[in-house]
C-alpha cells in the first residue's frame, strides 16, 4: 500500500499516480481507478506514453500533450506541498526488465489503454448505491470504495478464491486524493474532525484486502491539508511505504542555489519491510526530483561543487544501484546517471 | 513468570523484537496466543522460518493461536449476513468494545485438558493499531489490564506487547497508552532510531529497562543501552560506539 502525500496543487503527485497506472497498462495488469475529483475515464486518457526502445515518438495525443505541458507550466508557480505517503503492497509479479520509461509529453495510445481491463470508481456516480457491507462507522464514501474494491477482487479472482479463475497478473489500484473533502471526510478541514477513525479504518481494511490478493495500491492524500498530525502518524504506521513529495515552487528553496537543478524533494518516510527482518537498507535518503520536458526523474540529491571561498564543502556522490530501494512495481522512470527505478 | 514486557519503538521499526519473542517462546514450548494486527500470517511465518521455527506447524499442533487481524476484519466486514456462533474478536471495529478480543485471548490461553505446554504467553503486534481502529485509550488500557489479571496472575503466563511512540508526537491518545503501560511494565525494551540519523551499520539503539522498582520499593530501575544491527537471520548487539564497522 503506497501512500503518497500530495503536493499542494497535486501536480507531481498526479504524475506519479499516472505513472503507476501506466506501468500497469504496459505490464498487462488490471487497473482500478478511484477518484472523487475527476472522472477516472479522464485520468486514464491522460496516462503518459511509454518510451519504447525503438521508436521514441509514438503517435497521438498532440493537442492533449500540449495542454498538459501548459498545465505543468502553470503549476510550476504554485508551491508544492507534501505529497502523501504511498503505501505499497508488495507486488507479486516479477518483471524481466525493471520498470519502463515514460514520455511525459505524450499520451498513451487508446489501443494500449484498452488492452488491459480496467475498473473505475467515481464517487459521485456511486452515491446512489447503498453499501451492502457493515460499515463499522466508517465514512460512507470510503465504505463504498472498499465494497467496490472487494467486489472486483473476488469477481475477477485476484484473491485466489475461485480456482477457475487463475490470475497471472495483478491488480493495480489507484486512489486519488483520499481524505479530501470530496470524499466526505472532514479530516482535511479541521483540527478535530468529527470522525477521526474513518480514514484509518479504511486504510486498515484496504491493507487487509491487499494482503489477501494479488494487488498493489497507490493512494495520494493531500497531507498538507490534514491539520491533525496524529492521524498522519497513525496512517504512516498503517502503510507499507510512505513517500512525500515536496516541490520547491513558491518556497524559499526555489532560489537556493543548492537546489537549482531540481524541482522538488522526495522524502521517503518509510519503506516496506515485508517478509524479512531487515529494515531500511538504502544508502542515502536524500532524493530530489525534476520534471524535464519529457521525463520525470528522481535522483539522489547531488549538491553542486562549492566554488565559493568558504572552507567546507558538502557534496554527495551519486551511486548507481539504488534501484533495489523501491522494489515494487511502480513504473516511474529515471534516465540519466542517477538512477532510481520506482 | 507473570511478567509484562513492553516493546516500544521510536523512529524505527521494532518488529524484529516481536519476531524474536515469538520464536523464543515457541521454541521454549510455551503456548502462545499471537494477536497479529498489522501483518499477515505469511509475513511472520517467513521470518520465523529464517529464525528456525515453523508457525504453521506450531499452529497445527495447537501450540500457537494466531489471530490474523487483517483477515478477520475482512471476514467481519464482507462476510455473510448470518451471525456466526461467536462474536468476532475484532468486533470493536463497529462497537468500540474490546471485550470480545479479551474473551478470545482468555479462551485461547486457558489450558485445555491434555495440554502439556509450559506457561501461556500473549503477544500483541501492535497495540497502537487498536487506537487507529476506533478503540478509546481507556478501553485499550482496560483490555491490557484484564489480560494481565487473566494471563499473568491467574495463569502465571507472560505478556509481550509492542507499541509505537514518537518524540513530539501529536498523537496524545497513543502517548497516554504508552506512558501508562510503561509505568506498569516489568521490562521495557525500547528500540530507537539513532538520534544522529540513519546509518547503514548501526540500525538503532535498544534500551533495556528492568523495572526493579516495581517489585521492591527501594530498588532502582536498571537501564542498559546497546546498539544493534539487523541482519537477515539475526540481530547483533554491541556496546555503543563499538559497531563492527568502527572497530
Amino acid at each position: 500500500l503506497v501512500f503518497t502525500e500530495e503536493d499542494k496543487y497535486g501536480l507531481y503527485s498526479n504524475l506519479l499516480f499516472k505513472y503507476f497506472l501506466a506501468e500497469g497498462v504496459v505490464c498487462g495488469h488490471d487497473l482500478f481507478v478511484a477518484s472523487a475529483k475527476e472522472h477516472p475515464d479522464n485520468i486514464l486518457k491522460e496516462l503518459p506514453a511509454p518510451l519504447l526502445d525503438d521508436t521514441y515518438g509514438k503517435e497521438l495525443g498532440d493537442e492533449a500533450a500540449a495542454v498538459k505541458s501548459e498545465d505543468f507550466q502553470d503549476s510550476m508557480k504554485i508551491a508544492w506541498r507534501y505529497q502523501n505517503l504511498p503505501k505499497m503492497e508488495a507486488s507479486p509479479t516479477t518483471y524481466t526488465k525493471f520498470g519502463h520509461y515514460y514520455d511525459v509529453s505524450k499520451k498513451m495510445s487508446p489501443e494500449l489503454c484498452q488492452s488491459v481491463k480496467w475498473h473505475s470508481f467515481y464517487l459521485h456516480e456511486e452515491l446512489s448505491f447503498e453499501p451492502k457491507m457493515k460499515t463499522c462507522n466508517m465514512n460512507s464514501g470510503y465504505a463504498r470504495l472498499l465494497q467496490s474494491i472487494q467486489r472486483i477482487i473476488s469477481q475477477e479472482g485476484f484473491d485466489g478464491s475461485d480456482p477457475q479463475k487463475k490470475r497471472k497478473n495483478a491488480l493495480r489500484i489507484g486512489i486519488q486524493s483520499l481524505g479530501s473533502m470530496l470524499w466526505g471526510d472532514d479530516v482535511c478541514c479541521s483540527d478535530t474532525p468529527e470522525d477521526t477513525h474513518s480514514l484509518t479504518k479504511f486504510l486498515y481494511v484496504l491493507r487487509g484486502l491487499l494482503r489477501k490478493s494479488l494487488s498493489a495500491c497507490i493512494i495520494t492524500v493531500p497531507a498538507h491539508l490534514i491539520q491533525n498530525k496524529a492521524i498522519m502518524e497513525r496512517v504512516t504506521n498503517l502503510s507499507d511505504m510512505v513517500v512525500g513529495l515536496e516541490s520547491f515552487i513558491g518556497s524559499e528553496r526555489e532560489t537556493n542555489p543548492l537546489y537549482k537543478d531540481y524541482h522538488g524533494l522526495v522524502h521517503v518516510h518509510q519503506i516496506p519491510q515485508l517478509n524479512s527482518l531487515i529494515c531500511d537498507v538504502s544508502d542515502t535518503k536524500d532524493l530530489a526530483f525534476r520534471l524535464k520536458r519529457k521525463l520525470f526523474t528522481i535522483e539522489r540529491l547531488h549538491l553542486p561543487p562549492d566554488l565559493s571561498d568558504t572552507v567546507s564543502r558538502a557534496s554527495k556522490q551519486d551511486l548507481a544501484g539504488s534501484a533495489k530501494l523501491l522494489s515494487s512495481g511502480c513504473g516511474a522512470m529515471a534516465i540519466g546517471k542517477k538512477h532510481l527505478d520506482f | 513468570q507473570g511478567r509484562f514486557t513492553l516493546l516500544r519503538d521510536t523512529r524505527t521499526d521494532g518488529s524484529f523484537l516481536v519476531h524474536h519473542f515469538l520464536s523464543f517462546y515457541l521454541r521454549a514450548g510455551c503456548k502462545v496466543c499471537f494477536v497479529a494486527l498489522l501483518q499477515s500470517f505469511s509475513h511472520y511465518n517467513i521470518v520465523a522460518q529464517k529464525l528456525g521455527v515453523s508457525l504453521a506447524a506450531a499452529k497445527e499442533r495447537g501450540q500457537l493461536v494466531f489471530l490474523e487481524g487483517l483477515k478477520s476484519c475482512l471476514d467481519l466486514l464482507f462476510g455473510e449476513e448470518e451471525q456466526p456462533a461467536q462474536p468476532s474478536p475484532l468486533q470493536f471495529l463497529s462497537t468500540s468494545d474490546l471485550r470480545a478480543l479479551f474473551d478470545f485471548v482468555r479462551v485461547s490461553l486457558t489450558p485445555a485438558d491434555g495440554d502439556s505446554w509450559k506457561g501461556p504467553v500473549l503477544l500483541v503486534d501492535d497495540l497502537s493499531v487498536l487506537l487507529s481502529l476506533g478503540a478509546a485509550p481507556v478501553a485499550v488500557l482496560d483490555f491490557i489490564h484484564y489480560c494481565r489479571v487473566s494471563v499473568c496472575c491467574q495463569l502465571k503466563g507472560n505478556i509481550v506487547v509492542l507499541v509505537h511512540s514518537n518524540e513530539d508526537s501529536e498523537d496524545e491518545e497513543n502517548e497516554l497508552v504508552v506512558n501508562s503501560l510503561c509505568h506498569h511494565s516489568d521490562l521495557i525494551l525500547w528500540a530507537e532510531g539513532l538520534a544522529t540519523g540513519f546509518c547503514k551499520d548501526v540500525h538503532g539503539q535498544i534500551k533495556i529497562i528492568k523495572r526493579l522498582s516495581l517489585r521492591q520499593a527501594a530498588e532502582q530501575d536498571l537501564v542498559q543501552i546497546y546498539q544493534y544491527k539487523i541482519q537477515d537471520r539475526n540481530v547483533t548487539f554491541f556496546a555503543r560506539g563499538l559497531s563492527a564497522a568502527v572497530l
Side-chain angles (χ1 to χ4, degrees):
Chain A
L1 183 44
V2 179
F3 194 78
T4 335
E5 282 176 349
E6 279 177 18
D7 50 315
K8 236 189 214 162
Y9 297 91
L11 289 160
Y12 287 134
S13 68
N14 256 342
L15 190 54
L16 268 187
F17 189 75
K18 286 174 184 158
Y19 266 112
F20 183 81
L21 297 174
E23 177 71 9
V25 171
V26 173
C27 293
H29 296 160
D30 285 8
L31 298 181
F32 180 106
V33 184
S35 169
K37 201 160 66 165
E38 37 178 314
H39 200 284
D41 292 342
N42 293 338
I43 298 179
L44 281 167
K45 289 198 189 99
E46 295 201 351
L47 297 181
L51 275 178
L52 299 184
D53 292 326
D54 40 350
T55 48
Y56 195 66
K58 253 195 155 200
E59 67 293 48
L60 67 134
D62 282 351
E63 340 75 357
V67 166
K68 203 151 159 276
S69 52
E70 260 167 29
D71 211 21
F72 276 114
Q73 287 304 320
D74 283 338
S75 55
M76 298 286 251
K77 297 182 184 67
I78 311 176
W80 289 104
R81 280 192 245 175
Y82 258 133
Q83 295 261 337
N84 293 324
L85 304 173
K87 284 191 203 185
M88 180 109 66
E89 174 73 27
S91 174
T93 57
T94 50
Y95 309 104
T96 48
K97 197 171 71 142
F98 199 73
H100 298 84
Y101 298 134
Y102 295 91
D103 183 346
V104 168
S105 58
K106 290 187 160 42
K107 299 248 184 294
M108 189 178 275
S109 69
E111 294 91 44
L112 191 54
C113 276
Q114 277 151 23
S115 65
V116 297
K117 196 160 172 192
W118 62 276
H119 317 275
S120 73
F121 178 97
Y122 185 49
L123 182 65
H124 306 297
E125 277 173 9
E126 307 273 340
L127 281 176
S128 48
F129 302 115
E130 278 304 315
K132 292 186 217 69
M133 51 177 255
K134 311 179 189 75
T135 52
C136 293
N137 302 329
M138 211 187 312
N139 175 318
S140 69
Y142 296 155
R144 286 191 179 88
L145 176 55
L146 280 175
Q147 186 180 340
S148 182
I149 294 178
Q150 191 266 345
R151 187 172 43 94
I152 299 292
I153 288 181
S154 67
Q155 269 176 9
E156 303 284 330
F158 285 108
D159 57 357
S161 55
D162 187 353
Q164 300 280 356
K165 302 185 195 148
K166 269 246 170 214
R167 301 301 306 217
K168 293 211 183 61
N169 60 350
L171 175 68
R172 279 187 187 232
I173 304 176
I175 305 179
Q176 201 185 34
S177 277
L178 196 65
S180 72
M181 279 189 287
L182 296 166
W183 287 94
D185 192 353
D186 65 348
V187 84
C188 284
C189 339
S190 73
D191 205 1
T192 49
E194 249 178 57
D195 181 4
T196 41
H197 296 121
S198 257
L199 184 59
T200 42
K201 278 185 194 169
F202 169 81
L203 288 172
Y204 188 75
V205 180
L206 179 61
R207 189 182 166 104
L209 282 174
L210 293 176
R211 287 284 195 271
K212 202 175 85 130
S213 61
L214 291 177
S215 41
C217 177
I218 185 170
I219 299 186
T220 69
V221 170
H224 52 266
L225 294 173
I226 295 183
Q227 323 259 353
N228 186 336
K229 295 297 166 209
I231 294 187
M232 285 312 297
E233 288 174 23
R234 291 183 183 175
V235 155
T236 304
N237 283 335
L238 288 172
S239 311
D240 290 317
M241 176 161 184
V242 175
V243 168
L245 292 182
E246 178 193 351
S247 92
F248 296 144
I249 300 188
S251 77
E252 58 190 15
R253 289 184 181 180
E254 198 175 7
T255 47
N256 187 331
L258 288 177
Y259 295 129
K260 69 174 166 50
D261 290 332
Y262 301 103
H263 293 137
L265 294 176
V266 175
H267 300 271
V268 179
H269 295 281
Q270 186 162 285
I271 288 187
Q273 186 196 343
L274 288 176
N275 297 334
S276 95
L277 263 185
I278 302 184
C279 55
D280 210 329
V281 289
S282 58
D283 284 332
T284 178
K285 289 198 165 179
D286 295 316
L287 303 168
F289 67 84
R290 74 171 102 172
L291 177 64
K292 300 199 264 229
R293 191 174 58 87
K294 285 184 185 245
L295 290 171
F296 177 76
T297 60
I298 295 182
E299 306 164 348
R300 284 175 191 257
L301 183 61
H302 173 72
L303 301 177
D306 189 3
L307 298 174
S308 67
D309 297 325
T310 56
V311 175
S312 72
R313 181 188 139 132
S315 68
K316 298 183 193 190
Q317 285 308 315
D318 300 336
L319 299 161
S322 52
K324 62 180 158 76
L325 214 207
L326 303 165
S327 56
S328 339
C330 212
M333 41 334 66
I335 276 192
K337 31 189 170 71
K338 312 153 196 176
H339 250 67
L340 246 178
D341 283 323
F342 196 154
Chain B
Q1 294 298 78
R3 302 213 155 258
F4 185 93
T5 304
L6 184 69
L7 306 176
R8 182 176 175 175
D9 61 25
T10 300
R11 288 192 307 266
T12 188
D13 186 11
S15 59
F16 67 94
L17 292 168
V18 173
H19 294 297
H20 159 73
F21 276 103
L22 179 60
S23 44
F24 171 73
Y25 280 119
L26 282 176
R27 260 194 294 239
C30 297
K31 178 151 188 188
V32 178
C33 173
F34 187 12
V35 177
L37 295 173
L38 206 54
Q39 301 279 15
S40 62
F41 176 75
S42 63
H43 166 78
Y44 294 107
N45 198 16
I46 293 179
V47 181
Q49 277 172 353
K50 291 189 189 165
L51 297 177
V53 173
S54 164
L55 294 189
K59 226 166 56 150
E60 263 179 58
R61 52 176 188 256
Q63 190 186 7
L64 171 67
V65 178
F66 194 98
L67 173 63
E68 188 174 352
L70 291 170
K71 190 158 87 85
S72 301
C73 88
L74 291 183
D75 292 337
L76 177 67
L77 287 181
F78 300 114
E80 290 83 33
E81 288 300 329
E82 71 267 13
Q83 291 294 336
Q86 261 181 331
S88 159
L90 288 196
Q91 224 173 19
F92 61 88
L93 276 174
S94 35
T95 59
S96 300
D97 183 359
L98 290 167
R99 238 175 304 198
L101 186 58
F102 167 67
D103 286 333
F104 172 84
V105 167
R106 188 172 46 88
V107 164
S108 342
L109 287 180
T110 308
D113 298 328
D115 258 357
S116 59
W117 309 113
K118 307 194 184 90
V121 174
L122 168 65
L123 191 53
V124 180
D125 176 19
D126 66 64
L127 211 59
S128 307
V129 171
L130 290 179
L131 292 172
S132 303
L133 292 178
V138 175
V140 173
L141 290 172
D142 283 344
F143 164 73
I144 290 290
H145 179 73
Y146 272 76
C147 287
R148 280 192 85 155
V149 168
S150 159
V151 176
C152 291
C153 303
Q154 287 170 355
L155 298 173
K156 303 280 183 286
N158 294 332
I159 299 187
V160 179
V161 166
L162 174 68
V163 287
H164 296 298
S165 73
N166 277 322
E167 288 166 357
D168 307 329
S169 163
E170 296 208 9
D171 191 349
E172 285 167 3
E173 293 184 347
N174 192 37
E175 292 301 303
L176 174 73
V177 170
V178 171
N179 284 332
S180 178
L181 288 179
C182 274
H183 283 302
H184 293 124
S185 311
D186 292 306
L187 175 65
I188 303 178
L189 296 178
W190 191 348
E192 292 177 286
L194 294 177
T196 42
F198 172 71
C199 167
K200 207 168 55 154
D201 296 302
V202 179
H203 288 145
Q205 138 177 321
I206 183 163
K207 222 188 265 191
I208 303 176
I209 307 176
K210 294 195 176 111
R211 308 224 42 239
L212 306 169
S213 58
L214 264 190
R215 302 269 160 163
Q216 285 174 276
E219 293 283 337
Q220 290 236 320
D221 291 343
L222 183 63
V223 179
Q224 293 167 308
I225 302 186
Y226 296 100
Q227 289 178 338
Y228 62 86
K229 176 177 169 147
I230 304 179
Q231 287 146 342
D232 193 39
R233 280 171 195 267
N234 73 346
V235 181
T236 44
F237 293 90
F238 38 85
R240 276 185 292 184
L242 294 180
S243 93
V246 166
L247 289 173

